[in-house]
Amino acid sequence: MRGSQFSRRGLFGLVSAGAAALLGGRAAAAERVTSVQVGGTLSALAVSPVTGLVYAADQASGLVLVVDPDAGRAVSALAVGGEPSDVAVDTERIYVANPPSGTVLAFDSQTHRLLSVVSAGAGASALAIDPQANLVYAVSGKTGTFAVLDSISLTQQDLLPAPKPSLAGIALDRGRRRAYCTSPTTNSVEICDLDAGAFTASVPVGASPTGIGVHEPSGAVFVANSAIHHLSIVDGAARAQVKTVLLRSEASSLAVHQGSDVVYTNGGQNGLSRVDGRTATLTGELSLGVNPGDVAVDQRTRTVYVTDPLHGTVNIVRDF
């Protein structure tokens, strides 16, 4: 089904004017938002770097819905079972975390055929991929363990002991061989040395950090704190929080566009916020009329995708 499309300039003129005043008169261009109804309780999003298809995990049905943004509708579904909590996609595979079974399911990205179900530790819930190293990483929100999976043999290569009671999110700095994991119970980011296979540092951040992303060219780490109105910025080399960005609301998810060093987060007032990673400043806000859920960005087109878990929709945001 094709969602309705609208322009922020047409429907959110008053909001735009207010945001322009707030942000020093820097009004954004007319964003285009398409709402695609898929149903369910959407927990996570991922974008294929090859096809641009969007994968939305639905915990209610145990499916991962495949959304074609050009067609404006769901075109397929992957049967996962359980309660899929996260999705990660590379050029060849789709990986889905299923916490109830402590597994990661691997699907062929072209045929959507299930290839394997890999043990990833109890409660494995968040994923990150390093395609060049042929590795997938899964952290557990239940136990805090850190699983290393071989993406060629589709087997568990290692299971690192828990650095903290639970880990909510994971992001990679592949060039510097580091993984950054949020720990909401201890208000910290845990740093794992991927070559050493060990956690080497803990960085205090804001209250209840969940979503996390890395701008790999600079090494800057961005953290969504779900219990306070600011985004934390961590210097990976210094192993310290160096800046914070005040948001309109708590943020639980974010996505980093690597080419522009722009961060998109759900810490807006019923919508999205845009942060310039280089200057650590809030540069734009977009009202969606709902409290958004997970956020993802297409690295090629800079199109932003955000879930509305309450209404079972995926919002496609262009030119923001």
Side-chain angles (χ1 to χ4, degrees):
M1 62 197 78
R2 187 176 298 275
S4 60
Q5 193 173 75
F6 55 88
S7 164
R8 181 190 183 193
R9 182 166 291 171
L11 296 184
F12 297 106
L14 294 177
V15 176
S16 290
L22 174 69
L23 301 173
R26 297 179 62 185
E31 297 88 353
R32 295 178 296 136
V33 182
T34 302
S35 180
V36 180
Q37 183 72 40
V38 296
T41 304
L42 305 179
S43 59
L45 289 173
V47 184
S48 168
V50 177
T51 64
L53 293 174
V54 180
Y55 296 86
D58 174 18
Q59 291 186 320
S61 66
L63 299 174
V64 171
L65 302 162
V66 185
V67 176
D68 184 333
D70 293 329
R73 61 186 178 88
V75 294
S76 184
L78 311 180
V80 175
E83 299 176 0
S85 62
D86 200 11
V87 187
V89 186
D90 63 16
T91 57
E92 297 181 355
R93 305 276 171 80
I94 304 155
Y95 301 94
V96 184
N98 187 16
S101 62
T103 58
V104 172
L105 289 78
F107 294 84
D108 184 282
S109 62
Q110 298 299 316
T111 64
H112 291 163
R113 180 174 63 91
L114 178 64
L115 300 175
S116 185
V117 179
V118 187
S119 175
S125 55
L127 302 171
I129 305 176
D130 186 344
Q132 293 183 333
N134 297 312
L135 294 173
V136 179
Y137 301 94
V139 295
S140 171
K142 180 179 180 180
T143 65
T145 54
F146 183 101
V148 183
L149 311 179
D150 186 313
S151 64
I152 295 178
S153 64
L154 295 176
T155 58
Q156 184 186 118
Q157 188 179 89
D158 201 358
L159 186 65
L160 305 184
K164 293 293 171 69
S166 68
L167 298 176
I170 177 173
L172 302 180
D173 186 335
R174 293 168 292 186
R176 297 172 182 84
R177 301 292 298 149
R178 298 189 192 116
Y180 297 91
C181 308
T182 51
S183 174
T185 57
T186 59
N187 300 332
S188 64
V189 169
E190 305 302 307
I191 303 177
C192 181
D193 183 321
L194 296 176
D195 289 329
F199 284 87
T200 56
S202 181
V203 179
V205 289
S208 192
T210 51
I212 190 165
V214 178
H215 181 244
E216 294 192 68
S218 67
V221 183
F222 301 92
V223 184
N225 300 301
S226 64
I228 193 170
H229 288 216
H230 72 239
L231 187 77
S232 293
I233 303 178
V234 171
D235 184 320
R239 300 183 177 187
Q241 176 180 276
V242 292
K243 292 180 180 178
T244 59
V245 180
L246 182 64
L247 303 173
R248 294 289 194 96
S249 179
E250 299 90 345
S252 59
S253 178
L254 60 80
V256 181
H257 184 254
Q258 298 297 324
S260 61
D261 195 3
V262 169
V263 182
Y264 298 97
T265 176
N266 63 349
Q269 192 171 25
N270 291 327
L272 287 172
S273 289
R274 184 185 66 228
V275 173
D276 186 322
R278 293 166 294 185
T279 61
T281 54
L282 179 66
T283 59
E285 294 181 306
L286 174 62
S287 175
L288 296 172
V290 297
N291 290 320
D294 201 45
V295 181
V297 62
D298 189 324
Q299 297 297 331
R300 304 168 307 163
T301 65
R302 202 166 151 177
T303 300
V304 182
Y305 300 91
V306 57
T307 64
D308 174 359
L310 183 62
H311 301 100
T313 61
V314 175
N315 290 309
I316 306 170
V317 183
R318 297 179 173 90
D319 304 322
F320 177 51

